[in-house]
Amino acid sequence: MTVASFTSGPPAPRTDADLIGSNKRFYDALWSEAKLFAPDRFNTWPLVSELAAQTSRRLEVAPGLRPRLPLADTQFVDLSRPALAELSRHGARVANAMIGALPFRDASFDFVCAFDILEHVVDDEGALGELARVAEPGARLLLSVPLHPEAWTAFDDFVGHYRRYEPEAIRALLARHGFTIERSAVYGMQPKSSKLLDIGQWYLTHQRARAMWWYNKVFMPLGVRFQKPLAFTPGFAPGPGVDEVLLVCRKTQA
């Protein structure tokens, strides 16, 4: 097997319809063959359990089958029906909707999570505006995003990313919608080796069924097992080479 290099520059502009279609195809296939991982298996759990104990009306957007918030008493929203069916089977409250049009009243939640989602949508202003709309003043927001457009690879394109963020751009976007960043941590489980990413994408492109089996049965369990504890620092000042961050934010404006 010859594996070509998949490193590339940022993608050509795509429409919402393009992104929705590619995301739905990729994640419906992924979640159809996956099992649900309980929230307490992730390194986000110490933080989440701390914040969940202080809140009562929780929303997680686009969790797939990797929810970070407790299944009980949390509202989950996703575009993937296979993911929603499995979440519901485990007792979660679910709704089929998109981040840009959440079916909830203003100020409905005091704890909102959106992991790995803003980079998938064209209108991130509208998406974050919806998160701000349904969050009450003082609510907590957990948000993860990939950083640095110059770090773009074709793998970002393949999994349906629209952008990577410069640190100041995500800080400014949050501020425009009334959120301040309280603390942050390096986040994510992407391999450091570009060769591993190239091989993984080759299999996803040419032998998808086998790649999905290995991801769901081997690589995902191993990745979860060997996660490092999150190391939070006050505010947000990512060092060089940081691929993805988790931001703990508070809504400060009505």
Side-chain angles (χ1 to χ4, degrees):
M1 177 190 72
T2 300
V3 181
S5 174
F6 284 96
T7 302
S8 70
R14 290 178 290 171
T15 67
D16 261 330
D18 292 335
L19 283 166
I20 291 168
S22 65
N23 279 308
K24 185 169 176 56
R25 287 190 297 273
F26 183 88
Y27 288 101
D28 277 0
L30 179 64
W31 303 137
S32 294
E33 302 297 329
K35 69 175 184 178
L36 186 144
F37 276 70
D40 61 5
R41 296 188 63 183
F42 293 98
N43 62 355
T44 49
W45 183 246
L47 170 67
V48 164
S49 57
E50 169 201 332
L51 297 180
Q54 305 168 15
T55 56
S56 59
R57 291 169 288 118
R58 302 187 294 265
L59 169 68
E60 185 169 355
V61 179
L65 294 182
R66 310 291 183 249
R68 300 313 201 268
L69 296 192
L71 294 179
D73 301 320
T74 298
Q75 176 69 60
F76 295 94
V77 168
D78 207 290
L79 187 62
S80 171
R81 293 190 181 277
L84 292 174
E86 188 68 5
L87 288 165
S88 180
R89 194 173 72 83
H90 284 80
R93 298 200 310 270
V94 301
N96 183 237
M98 296 173 58
I99 190 172
L102 297 173
F104 309 112
R105 294 180 179 177
D106 296 359
S108 292
F109 302 99
D110 57 6
F111 188 9
V112 178
C113 289
F115 289 87
D116 303 319
I117 178 64
L118 277 191
E119 64 269 23
H120 288 268
V121 298
V122 174
D123 183 13
D124 57 346
E125 288 279 0
L128 194 57
E130 275 292 272
L131 297 181
R133 181 185 66 78
V134 301
E136 69 176 18
R140 281 308 191 5
L141 169 69
L142 297 188
L143 185 76
S144 67
V145 294
L147 295 180
H148 308 306
E150 67 272 15
W152 185 275
T153 72
F155 191 79
D156 290 276
D157 195 33
F158 189 79
V159 298
H161 289 177
Y162 184 76
R163 67 178 63 79
R164 283 174 169 266
Y165 286 93
E166 293 290 4
E168 285 308 312
I170 188 64
R171 192 198 310 274
L173 177 64
L174 286 161
R176 285 196 295 275
H177 293 279
F179 290 104
T180 58
I181 301 172
E182 295 185 326
R183 46 183 160 152
S184 59
V186 177
Y187 182 67
M189 292 187 289
Q190 179 172 306
K192 296 298 183 183
S193 168
S194 61
K195 180 63 69 176
L196 287 177
L197 290 174
D198 289 348
I199 293 171
Q201 186 169 339
W202 188 93
Y203 274 99
L204 282 167
T205 302
H206 300 284
Q207 297 188 25
R208 179 179 289 263
R210 178 181 292 184
M212 292 295 190
W213 187 93
W214 277 95
Y215 174 79
N216 287 315
K217 302 293 186 181
V218 179
F219 296 124
M220 184 65 194
L222 284 174
V224 170
R225 181 180 180 87
F226 292 106
Q227 293 173 100
K228 295 179 180 180
L230 293 172
F232 285 94
T233 57
F236 176 45
V242 174
D243 183 76
E244 186 174 5
V245 290
L246 174 60
L247 305 173
V248 183
C249 311
R250 186 183 288 275
K251 187 178 179 186
T252 58
Q253 299 177 10

